[in-house]
Amino acid sequence: KVKLFWPIEWLIQNQILEGVCLCLRYLESVCDDSRAWPGFKGVMANKSKALLQVYIFQKAPQLMPPVTNVARCQGRELVRTVRRAAVHPWRDALFWRQAAVLVSALPPSNLPAKDLAQICIAFRTIGFRSLMLALYCRRYLDERLEVVNTFELSSLLLYYTATAGGASDDQEFVQKIAHEACVEWRKRENVPWSAWKMLVIGAAHARVKSQQLFTTAAPHLAQGVKFMTARDAVDV
């Protein structure tokens, strides 16, 4: 590694290290907040002389996903990039925020339900809550409920209720989804137990007491017990 001292003002003006510059700009914007580093405001007032100690490593961080910038990803490439990132021990809030923006900008008719379901699962895997993506899931269900299968339905519902639950009309919306999951024609689907798990947890997040949903889900969950982890069983 190489240790360098760079003037803060020069770093910001030339954007040599984008991540460092973003952090500096953020701190500058909140330096009046009592939670911010109290000495930062004074440093920024004299940033032409203030130096920042930066370490540059010859090797990139290990175990990073193949693609770390989603800005130019579209369609299936975007879905694949997000899914790959979720299985790596690597977290970058900017990556996940950009992914949520790109997904939410798509018209629901242009995004297959299975792709959106996989994106929601990826976001839940790393525990990243995006209100923008959650509201997009609700919009998607409102507009395309008839073309969404039960597994996709459960994935979108759980991400919405776990992230954006609390709106005044949430219970009515979740009740509608719970009823939809139990309609007659859906009984012909081969629904995995994990979908029923997500449905009952999603309903519980919204505090919806759907006797119909829990009665329908119970035998499927009972059959799936042998495949559950202890965490799955506790959640159910």
Side-chain angles (χ1 to χ4, degrees), residues 12-230:
I12 293 176
Q13 288 176 351
N14 293 277
Q15 296 185 334
I16 300 301
L17 298 172
E18 184 178 359
V20 172
C21 294
L22 284 172
C23 290
L24 290 172
R25 287 199 175 94
Y26 172 74
L27 284 171
E28 188 175 19
S29 69
V30 299
C31 63
D32 288 329
D33 193 318
S34 60
R35 293 171 296 178
W37 174 34
F40 188 76
K41 189 172 184 180
V43 170
M44 294 303 288
N46 195 25
K47 57 190 174 187
S48 61
K49 295 182 179 179
L51 299 178
L52 182 70
Q53 182 172 322
V54 179
Y55 289 89
I56 300 179
F57 292 83
Q58 293 178 342
K59 293 183 178 180
Q62 299 300 302
L63 302 175
M64 292 178 68
V67 179
T68 58
N69 185 357
V70 292
R72 296 181 181 179
C73 294
Q74 295 180 350
R76 293 292 303 166
E77 183 186 3
L78 174 61
V79 178
R80 186 165 54 250
T81 299
V82 169
R83 292 184 65 187
R84 279 182 169 182
V87 299
H88 286 74
W90 170 83
R91 302 292 182 264
D92 183 348
L94 180 61
F95 173 94
W96 294 98
R97 282 198 299 270
Q98 287 179 338
V101 169
L102 290 172
V103 172
S104 303
L106 294 171
S109 58
N110 290 2
L111 180 63
K114 64 178 182 180
D115 288 348
L116 181 55
Q118 293 299 329
I119 288 172
C120 289
I121 291 172
F123 270 72
R124 284 198 300 109
T125 298
I126 67 154
F128 193 90
R129 296 187 175 190
S130 167
L131 181 60
M132 180 181 294
L133 180 61
L135 295 177
Y136 181 79
C137 288
R138 174 163 180 169
R139 175 189 165 197
Y140 195 98
L141 289 173
D142 282 335
E143 295 183 16
R144 296 177 57 80
L145 188 58
E146 295 77 12
V147 301
V148 177
N149 68 33
T150 306
F151 182 82
E152 296 157 356
L153 183 77
S154 64
S155 301
L156 272 59
L157 176 67
L158 180 55
Y159 190 77
Y160 172 75
T161 57
T163 304
S168 57
D169 60 342
D170 264 0
Q171 291 206 340
E172 181 181 348
F173 170 72
V174 176
Q175 191 75 51
K176 181 181 78 170
I177 301 301
H179 174 75
E180 175 65 26
C182 302
V183 296
E184 189 64 31
W185 70 268
R186 288 191 180 273
K187 294 180 181 179
R188 298 193 293 271
E189 287 185 44
N190 184 19
V191 182
W193 66 267
S194 56
W196 294 108
K197 180 195 79 169
M198 290 188 285
L199 282 168
V200 297
I201 294 174
H205 279 315
R207 300 189 179 278
V208 168
K209 300 177 181 180
S210 174
Q211 184 72 29
Q212 183 185 22
L213 173 63
F214 281 79
T215 301
T216 304
H220 298 283
L221 292 170
Q223 292 174 9
V225 165
K226 57 182 175 290
F227 303 112
M228 294 183 186
T229 65

